[in-house]
Amino acid sequence: MSLIGELLIAVLVLLGALFCGLGAFGLVRLPDVYLRSHAATKSATLGVLCVLTGAFLFFFFYINIVSIKLLLAIVFVFITSPVAGHLNGRAAYRSGVPLWKGSVQDDLKPVLEKNGTNQSGSKDK
């Protein structure tokens, strides 16, 4: 079990580091706040979850401890990171940050116009 466990833990930690590195690369290279938010939330969340899962498995297999703190951290990151990314994108859109010139469509604009609200969220008169 030790060789399989070590390989599984190593793969999870390396995969997590790769995802975090890709997220950092996306933050630097992507053109607008919406795409950067996507890179930060998706890849960084998956990267952190892989690293924390690898740490949990290490403690479980080699130290014989079920770490409730790591399980809570996994659940907390899994829930809060995508929600925070969504709220950052929504706040940017409602404050008037323009989309990248290469964006193909804006799905939120027709919905706001249909509801009679402007970008700031207040009702049009």
Side-chain angles (χ1 to χ4, degrees), residues 61-117:
F61 288 133
Y62 294 102
I63 304 179
N64 295 325
I65 294 174
V66 176
S67 177
I68 301 300
K69 290 180 185 179
L70 280 174
L71 287 176
L72 287 174
I74 290 169
V75 170
F76 184 73
V77 168
F78 186 71
I79 291 172
T80 59
S81 185
V83 172
H86 171 76
L87 290 177
N88 284 335
R90 183 177 177 194
Y93 188 84
R94 293 200 179 249
S95 66
V97 176
L99 294 171
W100 174 49
K101 64 181 176 184
S103 294
V104 178
Q105 66 185 31
D106 181 3
D107 290 336
L108 191 54
K109 188 174 184 178
V111 173
L112 291 177
E113 289 173 351
K114 179 183 173 188
N115 292 337
T117 58

Side-chain angles (χ1 to χ4, degrees), residues 32-85:
D32 70 345
V33 68
Y34 307 106
L35 294 173
R36 288 177 182 163
S37 175
H38 179 77
T41 55
K42 299 289 184 185
S43 60
T45 300
L46 188 56
V48 169
L49 289 177
C50 285
V51 170
L52 289 176
T53 304
F56 176 78
L57 291 176
F58 173 78
F59 284 122
F60 183 72
F61 288 133
Y62 294 102
I63 304 179
N64 295 325
I65 294 174
V66 176
S67 177
I68 301 300
K69 290 180 185 179
L70 280 174
L71 287 176
L72 287 174
I74 290 169
V75 170
F76 184 73
V77 168
F78 186 71
I79 291 172
T80 59
S81 185
V83 172

